[in-house]
Amino acid sequence: MRCFISNIDSPAGHNFSRLLASTVVGSRKDPEAEEEEPAAGEEDGEKKEEKPKEKYQVIGTLSAELGVPVAPSSPGAMFETGDKKRDQARREAIEKFAVRGQKPAWVESLVQNNDRDVLKQALLSCDVIIYDLNQCLDEASWAIETLAELTDTFIEKPKVFIALSSIMTWAKTKVDQDDPEAFLAEDEYRRRKAHPNYKNHIQIEKNIMKFGKKSALKTYVIAAGLVYHSGDSIFHHILKAAWHNEEELVCYGDGSNVLPTIHMDDLTNVIVEVVEFQPEAKYLLAIDDSKHTLYEITKAISDGLGSGRVKKVAKEMALLNKSLPQIDFDMILVNLRLEPGHVKEMTFEWKYETGLIENLPALIQEYKDARGLSPIKIVVHGPPASGKTFYCEKIAQFYDIHYVEVDAVVKAAIARLERKAGVQDPVDEEDTGEAEKEQLDELKDAMRNNNGKVPEEHILNFVKEKLRSMPCRNQGYILDGFPTNLDEASTVFKPNEDDIKDDKSPNIDELTAPDFVLTLEVSDEFIKERIMNLPEAATVDTKNSEESLMRRLEEFRNANTDESTVLNYFDELEIHPHPVSIASNEADTVMEGITRYIGKPHNYGPTLEQLEEKKRLDDEAKATQIAAAEEERKLREKEEEERQVKAVAEWNIRMEEIRKQEQEVLEAQSVPLRNYLMKYVMPTLTTGLIEVCKVRPEDPIDYLAEFLFKHNSPST
């Protein structure tokens, strides 16, 4: 059986096509109803020849190009953990993630929707046509009208047309205002009133149901609730903000509006059930049983993934949120109490039937799996002054994880206790600060009994609390030079009592256990030479002074023998330390080796703003480079011009000197000749020329020659 699905690169089209392509035609129907009686004469023990099971063949179109720039959205990379169940769940979550512009592997072929003739032939070749009205309203209207006109051509093989619509077509439907629990039932769809932006949807829905009255064309309209999933769904902006550790999640308006919802997997099953069973009902509400409000959903996500805090802001503030498009803005502010009908009678097993909040841990895990948002947890071990802090900060920046340094953790923890203990009017009634006051008093008493220093027990508790905080659980951490011994390691990474089960007690806290342990290998001589090259101000009266450094190195070497090193603790737990040699390597080379060992970051990657900023910086760098090249070219041209002018001037000077020298030589050479001419030639020649002028003969040259011949002196 052949199926056409519009926008197969959208989350809905991607998942609809995925499930249909793996579904055997008729497999969801009652097996007893599908049993066939043995043919006459067929023996009971004779086996019938099994026919190959037919699966749905899927073709479809891709989404149109967006008119606005968007950050690239893609699934996370798959990495095996050895836990088959977890790896399979991660693989499935990645497979369900739709990538805009990409054809899923299970789709047989693509159809070009810019050529209506080609599209019409594709529709006529299919038994089932599924259109998403939320993405291609005009095309769906054309498609149903085209099929309705051609029903006579497929009377013998009827077609099924399914239109995926939205509960936004119910947004303005009136209910009993006096009854806060009043709801709208599925069979009241004829009196539904749409949101202003969805009025065209209702008209097309009516046309689709009208054309379905023809026997050769069965039509269905499925009005889906707010569809959520691990991809770019209606609640993605909330999940993303929580994962990025926003101090408070934002709830637009008072948050009391009820949101009808459904998970993508359940909606996909609804679509397949309609394809398989072709029910009598032509209009279906695809929603779960929940009646959660926007605030309840936001608070649950904040509790499960973020800080646990939510602030209410004016609805208009949503317009400033670039990650919240207008269509999503309209949806999260809708207020509808709807009651599903036919979908409750379907045979498939619901995934999130009770709603998002009751199944939030599973959704969060699915969300992290699909996007590869697993924490990277690293412990860095090494001798003092070996560069631990330097490399910890570079690694934290590269992987966008939290840098954890013990002294800073202790200071921040004490400051937090003092701040909470001093709160006079807490916003949260449960957050009165009494517990913090008791902890602070206990800490101060302990410090007085420990020469003003924070006792080790409290330090370890602060570090453990930091590692179990939501930011470290979301992105991960890099622990700088801690733990330093076996006792510290076993205390910090000891499982909480709540995590210990009767059947199996874990040896390490899975929430905080490091994934990688890096040990910096460097000789004492290299460390001493490195410290000697530091400015005097950086070593005098500090922990890096010669005396202090020698003492610290000796303590480190004594505490890290083959038998006593803290690395043995991790090694026994199959977290094998990775040696990093830094003595003879440049920092970039060391970082390249570390990142190659750890792998790629496990985060969102650059945001649209970061991409735009990177592009801006790249453009600026390119422009600066071009400007510098142009400036250099002009400078070279100017220098060349000056060189040529100077060369020409020098040439002219040399030529003038040569000319003068030649003139002097010629003048010197011409003096005897001139004297000879003046004595023997010029007197007679001058007289002859005067005579020629007086006589003016017809042939002056001949006359002059005759004159010179006659008056030539014999002495000459």
Side-chain angles (χ1 to χ4, degrees):
M1 184 172 284
R2 197 171 174 87
C3 294
F4 171 90
I5 301 177
S6 70
N7 304 85
I8 55 170
D9 57 338
S10 68
H14 180 94
N15 284 276
F16 295 169
S17 63
R18 176 181 175 275
L19 186 57
L20 278 169
S22 62
T23 299
V24 175
V25 178
S27 61
R28 294 207 174 194
K29 296 181 180 179
D30 187 357
E32 295 181 1
E34 293 296 316
E35 287 183 0
E36 296 182 1
E37 296 182 2
E42 184 178 325
E43 296 181 5
D44 294 340
E46 184 180 350
K47 293 184 178 180
K48 295 176 63 178
E49 182 180 351
E50 293 186 2
K51 295 182 180 180
K53 296 180 179 179
E54 179 190 6
K55 293 184 179 180
Y56 290 95
Q57 297 176 338
V58 180
I59 65 173
T61 59
L62 293 177
S63 302
E65 291 292 331
L66 293 178
V68 292
V70 294
S73 183
S74 58
M78 179 63 196
F79 55 91
E80 305 288 341
T81 63
D83 185 333
K84 292 183 178 179
K85 187 175 181 180
R86 284 290 306 115
D87 289 344
Q88 177 58 31
R90 182 178 290 109
R91 194 175 293 107
E92 184 175 330
I94 293 173
E95 190 177 275
K96 291 178 180 179
F97 196 102
V99 179
R100 192 177 187 88
Q102 288 189 11
K103 179 181 83 70
W106 49 81
V107 172
E108 186 178 284
S109 62
L110 293 177
V111 180
Q112 298 299 325
N113 56 356
N114 54 1
D115 188 332
R116 288 294 168 90
D117 291 334
V118 172
L119 183 57
K120 181 172 73 172
Q121 294 304 318
L123 295 177
L124 292 174
S125 69
C126 294
D127 305 291
V128 178
I129 296 97
I130 302 174
Y131 261 99
D132 186 348
L133 302 186
N134 303 303
Q135 301 209 37
C136 47
L137 193 65
D138 294 338
E139 185 181 313
S141 177
W142 168 85
I144 188 62
E145 290 175 1
T146 301
L147 291 173
E149 291 175 359
L150 300 173
T151 50
D152 294 342
T153 63
F154 47 83
I155 293 178
E156 295 182 359
K157 195 175 182 181
K159 298 185 183 300
V160 176
F161 188 97
I162 300 174
L164 177 65
S165 189
S166 170
I167 51 90
M168 294 300 289
T169 57
W170 293 70
K172 298 299 180 181
T173 310
K174 294 182 179 180
V175 295
D176 187 356
Q177 300 295 330
D178 297 330
D179 184 2
E181 300 298 322
F183 61 84
L184 296 167
E186 180 181 270
D187 56 10
E188 298 181 75
Y189 70 89
R190 289 182 179 84
R191 71 180 192 89
R192 66 193 186 282
K193 301 294 181 183
H195 183 279
N197 293 338
Y198 286 80
K199 289 183 177 180
N200 291 337
H201 285 64
I202 281 193
Q203 186 56 49
I204 293 178
E205 287 177 2
K206 291 178 179 179
N207 290 341
I208 290 170
M209 296 179 70
K210 178 184 69 175
F211 292 135
K213 295 178 180 179
K214 299 183 179 182
S215 59
L217 184 62
K218 295 184 178 180
T219 60
Y220 298 91
V221 174
I222 299 177
L226 275 61
V227 184
Y228 61 94
H229 49 86
S230 58
D232 296 336
S233 67
I234 184 69
F235 300 123
H236 174 243
H237 70 284
I238 304 178
L239 290 165
K240 184 177 181 180
W243 188 85
H244 277 112
N245 312 305
E246 292 286 342
E247 187 174 345
E248 294 177 311
L249 294 190
V250 174
C251 176
Y252 299 109
D254 62 7
S256 62
N257 52 307
V258 177
L259 302 177
T261 57
I262 187 169
H263 189 271
M264 178 62 77
D265 286 358
D266 295 324
L267 176 60
T268 301
N269 274 299
V270 169
I271 294 290
V272 175
E273 287 272 318
V274 172
V275 171
E276 285 275 273
F277 289 95
Q278 300 175 17
E280 291 297 325
K282 302 301 179 183
Y283 189 95
L284 291 80
L285 276 177
I287 56 176
D288 55 37
D289 291 339
S290 67
K291 299 291 187 294
H292 299 140
T293 65
L294 174 61
Y295 180 83
E296 290 170 345
I297 292 173
T298 306
K299 184 66 168 68
I301 293 175
S302 184
D303 290 338
L305 193 61
S307 65
R309 295 188 292 275
V310 176
K311 66 176 178 181
K312 298 177 181 180
V313 299
K315 297 177 182 179
E316 293 73 20
M317 295 296 292
L319 301 175
L320 302 177
N321 188 347
K322 294 182 180 179
S323 64
L324 188 66
Q326 181 66 44
I327 185 173
D328 289 355
F329 172 73
D330 294 336
M331 286 184 175
I332 64 171
L333 295 180
V334 74
N335 183 22
L336 281 173
R337 285 183 175 273
L338 299 176
E339 194 66 25
H342 186 78
V343 295
K344 301 303 297 179
E345 302 171 4
M346 291 184 172
T347 60
F348 71 88
E349 182 178 353
W350 283 72
K351 185 174 183 179
Y352 294 155
E353 185 175 12
T354 53
L356 182 150
I357 293 178
E358 288 75 5
N359 300 279
L360 187 60
L363 176 65
I364 289 176
Q365 190 59 55
E366 179 186 344
Y367 158 75
K368 290 181 177 180
D369 287 344
R371 296 180 177 272
L373 302 178
S374 59
I376 296 178
K377 298 169 287 184
I378 307 170
V379 167
V380 176
H381 175 267
S386 59
K388 294 189 300 296
T389 299
F390 173 78
Y391 285 107
C392 282
E393 291 176 345
K394 288 184 74 69
I395 293 170
Q397 182 180 12
F398 181 84
Y399 287 102
D400 199 13
I401 57 180
H402 301 280
Y403 171 67
V404 179
E405 194 272 328
V406 174
D407 290 342
V409 168
V410 173
K411 290 179 182 178
I414 294 175
R416 185 180 68 254
L417 289 175
E418 291 175 343
R419 184 175 66 254
K420 289 190 174 182
V423 173
Q424 300 297 325
D425 299 314
V427 177
D428 191 338
E429 294 181 358
E430 298 179 359
D431 191 13
T432 60
E434 292 298 327
E436 285 76 12
K437 290 178 183 177
E438 293 181 6
Q439 292 181 38
L440 191 59
D441 292 341
E442 180 185 345
L443 175 61
K444 290 180 178 179
D445 291 340
M447 290 175 65
R448 280 192 290 268
N449 297 328
N450 195 40
N451 297 323
K453 297 180 180 179
V454 179
E456 183 178 1
E457 177 186 355
H458 289 80
I459 293 175
L460 297 179
N461 287 337
F462 289 147
V463 173
K464 187 179 181 71
E465 180 182 346
K466 175 65 176 179
L467 299 186
R468 290 183 69 90
S469 66
M470 196 60 74
C472 288
R473 289 163 61 179
N474 285 343
Q475 288 82 30
Y477 64 81
I478 183 162
L479 193 50
D480 184 357
F482 194 85
T484 60
N485 55 56
L486 295 170
D487 291 338
E488 289 176 350
S490 58
T491 301
V492 169
F493 296 112
K494 180 181 178 181
N496 283 4
E497 294 182 1
D498 297 340
D499 300 329
I500 299 177
K501 300 178 181 179
D502 296 336
D503 55 341
K504 187 178 180 180
S505 175
N507 296 322
I508 193 169
D509 185 0
E510 294 182 358
L511 282 178
T512 62
D515 304 304
F516 306 97
V517 176
L518 306 178
T519 174
L520 305 187
E521 294 187 342
V522 58
S523 65
D524 291 356
E525 289 71 21
F526 179 84
I527 294 175
K528 294 174 186 176
E529 182 180 354
R530 176 175 176 269
I531 295 301
M532 287 176 61
N533 292 329
L534 293 176
E536 184 177 354
T539 58
V540 176
D541 297 331
T542 69
K543 62 181 181 180
N544 288 329
S545 64
E546 183 177 357
E547 181 180 353
S548 177
L549 178 62
M550 296 303 297
R551 176 179 53 78
R552 292 166 61 211
L553 279 173
E554 183 179 0
E555 291 175 354
F556 177 83
R557 299 303 181 193
N558 292 336
N560 285 273
T561 63
D562 292 341
E563 294 77 18
S564 62
T565 178
V566 69
L567 299 178
N568 293 338
Y569 171 81
F570 300 108
D571 208 18
E572 292 174 0
L573 293 170
E574 302 297 324
I575 309 172
H576 303 297
H578 177 72
V580 178
S581 176
I582 64 171
S584 59
N585 292 325
E586 296 292 335
D588 291 343
T589 305
V590 174
M591 278 299 299
E592 183 180 348
I594 291 173
T595 54
R596 185 168 55 248
Y597 170 68
I598 295 175
K600 295 180 179 180
H602 298 175
N603 52 35
Y604 262 91
T607 63
L608 180 59
E609 290 76 13
Q610 290 171 332
L611 289 173
E612 291 176 347
E613 179 66 13
K614 183 177 183 300
K615 183 178 183 300
R616 185 185 66 80
L617 293 175
D618 290 344
D619 291 344
E620 287 182 357
K622 187 176 180 180
T624 302
Q625 185 178 2
I626 293 174
E630 180 66 16
E631 188 68 24
E632 185 178 356
R633 183 186 65 80
K634 290 180 179 179
L635 181 61
R636 286 198 304 268
E637 288 181 352
K638 183 179 180 181
E639 291 175 349
E640 179 64 19
E641 183 179 353
E642 291 175 350
R643 188 191 66 78
Q644 290 181 0
V645 170
K646 184 178 180 182
V648 170
E650 291 177 352
W651 171 264
N652 291 334
I653 292 173
R654 286 197 299 270
M655 291 303 295
E656 182 66 20
E657 290 292 330
I658 292 172
R659 189 186 64 77
K660 287 181 179 179
Q661 292 175 5
E662 289 179 345
Q663 183 69 24
E664 291 175 356
V665 170
L666 289 173
E667 288 180 356
Q669 290 176 348
S670 68
V671 169
L673 179 61
R674 188 165 54 248
N675 292 336
Y676 173 81
L677 291 174
M678 291 300 294
K679 182 177 181 180
Y680 298 107
V681 177
M682 292 307 296
T684 304
L685 180 61
T686 303
T687 303
L689 291 172
I690 294 172
E691 188 65 24
V692 168
C693 292
K694 290 178 179 180
V695 177
R696 296 185 181 183
E698 292 181 1
D699 188 351
I701 299 301
D702 185 63
Y703 183 86
L704 179 61
E706 288 290 339
F707 179 85
L708 292 175
F709 182 74
K710 289 178 181 181
H711 294 83
N712 183 24
S713 178
S715 59
T716 309

